[in-house]
Amino acid sequence: MAAVKGETTKKYVTSEELKQHNKSGDLWISIHGKVYDVSDWAKIHPGGEGPLLTLAGQDVTDAFIAYHPGTAWQYLDRLFTGYYLKDFEMSEVSKDYRRLVAEFSKSGMFEKKGHHVMYSFVAIAVMMFLCVYGVLRTESTLVHLGSGCLLGLLSVLSAYVGHDSGHSQVTWSPTTNKVVQLISGNCLTGISIAWWKWTHNQHHIACNSLDNDPDLQHIPVFAVSNRFFSSLTSRFYGRKLEFDSLARFLVSYQHWTFYPVMCFGRINLFIQTFLLLFSRRSVPDRALNFLGLAVFWTWFPLLVSCLPNWPERIMFVLASFVVTSIQHIQFCLNHFSGDVYIGDPEGNDWFEKQTKGTIDISCSRWMDWLYGGLQFQLEHHLFPRLPRGQLRRIAPLARDLCKKHNLPYRSLSFWEANVSTIGVLRTAALQARKLASAGGPVPKNLVWEAVNTHG
């Protein structure tokens, strides 16, 4: 009877009532049917306010389990509103997913970091030495070309280490992870880890949402769907993605320009880094990010200046950019040809959204170092805290779970993924050409639209 009496004293809200608390300053979420007020917490949330705003007003149990270690649960009690979700339900796929996470946690898989980061840093140090030696101690143009390629490969491996540390896959110490991020990101590649965390957290939460996922918002250069032709408003950037005459022209040829643009993708990341750091947005560790960038923009130009002439300097920089394009291309292959949608992701179908929006790249084990674990893109999205060395091991379990619930599990070869991606770009390009033949919007602020995505 006591249990029954206890149940009757509980306070409840419905899903519709919960949805009303979905804006900054009034953020409620539900986890396991308990309702929490995260309005104030959002301002100091390590993952930023964006993910909370995206999932506000709904049950976020699967997403919370995916991105937070067990130690995070202790912080929830002080945020509890006293309300429970009256119509809380758990889908069968969520039950199976949570069971898998529990099994991984019980077996200690999240703690088994492996030695790949140490190996990566050793490889990065060796390549840096060979690159600097090739520039300073030889006069061969071919050696200088090779040094530029080594610098590009160094940047690729360093970016993967930054990615791992951003997901707390390197150590359990937040401070150590932050130091690794700043070294591997800001100091070695010139890309702000603050910018990466800002966009990457949102990408994971709203995977392949056209108006929420910044990794799909590349207007005016690329459009993976004709829905961009209506000038969508980006909920992430808070601005309209104008599909003007410049965008219409560039998108019409995007299946031809894709690879050339990827060769210079690093330049865009430099631009986005400074746009964020010089913006009025709240940027965690802004000073540290500037300090790390100062390190990069000191050693990189200095190294380039040591080359004997301008043609070789240009060749060196271009070679490094072309090599890093392999990584930029891979990021696109993982999502460009996945399913897309418009609107906020729903917490109760979080698992389904991840499976539909991601594509794995099949490769041999000996090639794992080049892909940084992201060839197991779906596995990484479902279990983002799992160290990359564990992803190949759990891939069959993810595949079986998708099969059981009739959800897509797409694993393509590198060639097949390229064909699929170019096919998506070509389809949108031909649709843009048809739109162009019928007339379209008037050009507006073309230069600004070409480089700015932050408003």
Side-chain angles (χ1 to χ4, degrees), residues 10-21 28-31 33-36 57-59 80-89:
K10 282 186 177 180
K11 298 184 295 183
Y12 291 92
V13 296
T14 65
S15 295
E16 287 302 315
E17 291 172 321
L18 183 62
K19 287 181 181 178
Q20 304 305 312
H21 303 275
W28 285 18
I29 59 173
S30 165
I31 299 174
K34 297 179 69 174
V35 178
Y36 300 93
Q58 54 184 307
D59 186 83
F80 182 46
T81 62
Y83 290 100
Y84 293 82
L85 194 58
K86 186 175 184 179
D87 46 355
F88 170 70
E89 294 182 1

Side-chain angles (χ1 to χ4, degrees), residues 205-217:
I205 290 294
C207 179
N208 273 32
S209 168
L210 295 178
D211 53 343
N212 275 286
D213 185 353
D215 282 12
L216 291 187
Q217 297 175 359

Side-chain angles (χ1 to χ4, degrees), residues 27-222:
L27 290 176
W28 285 18
I29 59 173
S30 165
I31 299 174
H32 281 313
K34 297 179 69 174
V35 178
Y36 300 93
D37 185 348
V38 295
S39 304
D40 294 330
W41 173 249
K43 301 172 184 177
I44 57 174
H45 181 228
E49 186 180 29
L52 292 174
L53 281 170
T54 302
L55 294 177
Q58 54 184 307
D59 186 83
V60 300
T61 306
D62 285 344
F64 183 86
I65 290 174
Y67 299 109
H68 298 82
T71 54
W73 292 88
Q74 62 182 310
Y75 298 102
L76 289 177
D77 287 344
R78 62 187 182 186
L79 305 175
F80 182 46
T81 62
Y83 290 100
Y84 293 82
L85 194 58
K86 186 175 184 179
D87 46 355
F88 170 70
E89 294 182 1
M90 181 165 45
S91 67
E92 292 302 314
V93 65
S94 288
K95 291 178 182 177
D96 286 341
Y97 169 67
R98 297 172 195 181
R99 190 179 300 117
L100 266 184
V101 174
E103 291 176 2
F104 294 163
S105 181
K106 186 177 180 179
S107 64
M109 293 179 69
F110 292 107
E111 287 78 23
K112 297 175 182 177
K113 306 296 185 182
H115 302 295
H116 62 272
V117 172
M118 181 185 69
Y119 297 149
S120 295
F121 269 130
V122 170
I124 289 169
V126 171
M127 286 188 287
M128 179 64 82
F129 171 79
L130 293 176
C131 176
V132 173
Y133 185 89
V135 170
L136 299 181
R137 306 295 292 179
T138 69
E139 298 180 358
S140 170
T141 300
L142 287 178
V143 172
H144 294 163
L145 175 62
S147 297
C149 293
L150 274 178
L151 182 61
L153 188 57
L154 179 158
S155 298
V156 169
L157 296 186
S158 187
Y160 288 141
V161 173
H163 176 266
D164 290 345
S165 58
H167 282 288
S168 300
Q169 296 175 8
V170 176
T171 72
W172 283 111
S173 167
T175 300
T176 304
N177 281 321
K178 182 182 294 185
V179 171
V180 173
Q181 290 173 59
L182 288 170
I183 293 174
S184 59
N186 298 53
C187 297
L188 290 179
T189 68
I191 300 171
S192 167
I193 199 66
W195 170 82
W196 176 86
K197 290 178 69 175
W198 178 51
T199 59
H200 196 69
N201 288 339
Q202 183 71 7
H203 162 68
H204 268 272
I205 290 294
C207 179
N208 273 32
S209 168
L210 295 178
D211 53 343
N212 275 286
D213 185 353
D215 282 12
L216 291 187
Q217 297 175 359
H218 301 297
I219 295 293
V221 183
F222 298 131

